[in-house]
Amino acid sequence: MEQSASKRPIDIVSLYPKDMNIYGDSGNVLAIERRLSLYGYEPRIHAVNQNDAWPDHADIILGGGGQDTGQKKIIEDLFRRADMLHELADDGVPMLMICGLYQLFGEYFETVDGTKLEGISIIRSYTVGRDVRMIGNLVEHSELFGDIIGYENHSGQTFLREGVAPLGHMDGEGTGNNGEDHTEGALVNHVIGTYMHGSLLPKNPKISDFLIRAAAERRYGEFAPQFTDETREQLAHLDETAARAREVAASRPR
Ligand code: GLN
């Protein structure tokens, strides 16, 4: 082990926080940071914008949504990092990509004005912009995470290639990937792509735990939370707050 057991850093990359961070997506970084601390790990956050150096370690990578213009700004830089991101994804690094970056982790995004942005194809999907935006709170069902609750706001309709697992399915209101096949998001190895803003993670602690567990197991061989009485209580409080936020969001579908 490279660090003493009590320190146990976990390095979190916040990808393009300047241009890809809308509808509260930076809350995902804060949620992971807080939860890691409560589990007795030492979260280290690295903001990586265009042309920034990549940190020595990347245990969890979090990316947010953005306007079409933001997506156009970061695409070149994303391509320069594409091979490395593929290697990390293949190696099991957990990643959460919301909306605009979910689209660019796919094969391409053709925007509503007809511009075709090539994606880096970590997720085998493609997206086509529509002139009607898809907006509202959303509840979807997932075997791994139970009900996932978030907020969608996008013009792109995403279609998964055959064999790609969606993150969840919807049976109620909401558009999800495309408004046609009742799927939402995608899950490839430990890479999650989703339209769920909100922020997503504060309302969905099971997804935070999935990312944290995968990161800790990959770096340290196991996920071994270490609590004090105080952190145990704080975690229970955090989860109660999440449960209340979930109830409110679920009761206001659109
Ligand atoms: N610009 C993309 C779209 O409208 C992504 C939007 C977002 O990230 N919320 O589909």
Side-chain angles (χ1 to χ4, degrees):
M1 192 177 290
E2 71 212 70
Q3 299 282 340
S4 70
S6 60
K7 270 203 139 194
R8 303 188 304 169
I10 294 279
D11 290 272
I12 304 158
V13 173
S14 167
L15 200 53
Y16 307 124
K18 265 193 210 153
D19 291 302
M20 301 298 288
N21 168 27
I22 49 178
Y23 316 125
D25 289 341
S26 59
N28 292 329
V29 180
L30 299 177
I32 288 284
E33 180 184 27
R34 176 75 175 137
R35 223 164 166 83
L36 276 168
S37 303
L38 294 177
Y39 286 143
Y41 289 87
E42 184 198 323
R44 292 183 180 165
I45 297 178
H46 309 271
V48 174
N49 289 296
Q50 297 163 64
N51 301 317
D52 283 348
W54 194 256
D56 292 342
H57 277 280
D59 298 312
I60 301 180
I61 306 179
L62 302 172
Q67 313 296 351
D68 294 5
T69 48
Q71 291 172 285
K72 287 174 190 164
K73 276 194 209 160
I74 57 96
I75 190 76
E76 252 183 63
D77 188 274
L78 183 65
F79 260 89
R80 277 198 293 276
R81 304 184 199 267
D83 288 348
M84 177 201 57
L85 289 168
H86 268 271
E87 272 166 37
L88 294 175
D90 290 348
D91 198 44
V93 171
M95 306 187 190
L96 174 68
M97 295 298 141
I98 311 289
C99 200
L101 274 170
Y102 165 39
Q103 294 171 342
L104 297 181
F105 265 51
E107 294 168 5
Y108 65 84
F109 172 33
E110 199 174 313
T111 66
V112 70
D113 70 12
T115 313
K116 191 167 178 186
L117 299 173
E118 292 297 331
I120 59 172
S121 299
I122 287 181
I123 298 170
R124 287 183 302 111
S125 61
Y126 62 94
T127 303
V128 183
R130 288 197 341 189
D131 45 14
V132 189
R133 291 195 76 80
M134 297 157 258
I135 306 174
N137 282 332
L138 191 59
V139 180
E140 70 192 55
H141 314 296
S142 132
E143 260 175 43
L144 212 51
F145 304 116
D147 280 357
I148 302 172
I149 299 182
Y151 166 79
E152 62 176 333
N153 186 346
H154 53 113
S155 72
Q157 271 186 304
T158 296
F159 297 91
L160 304 178
R161 299 286 187 196
E162 216 180 307
V164 179
L167 177 63
H169 287 93
M170 289 127 21
D171 49 23
E173 284 181 85
T175 317
N177 278 334
N178 50 53
E180 292 174 14
D181 61 15
H182 303 280
T183 66
E184 199 292 311
L187 178 61
V188 179
N189 196 10
H190 292 138
V191 178
I192 295 175
T194 176
Y195 275 112
M196 299 290 231
H197 301 278
S199 326
L200 174 72
L201 293 182
K203 283 207 288 289
N204 296 275
K206 284 187 183 160
I207 302 183
S208 294
D209 285 348
F210 169 86
L211 299 168
I212 289 172
R213 174 178 286 279
E217 286 177 350
R218 182 172 167 275
R219 183 149 177 185
Y220 296 108
E222 61 172 353
F223 171 54
Q226 293 172 357
F227 294 107
T228 61
D229 287 348
E230 198 185 353
T231 55
R232 204 181 287 282
E233 214 172 278
Q234 286 169 341
L235 185 67
H237 177 69
L238 200 62
D239 287 346
E240 278 161 29
T241 311
R244 282 206 303 278
R246 290 167 64 82
E247 268 173 38
V248 172
S251 69
R252 292 185 198 161
R254 303 309 277 178

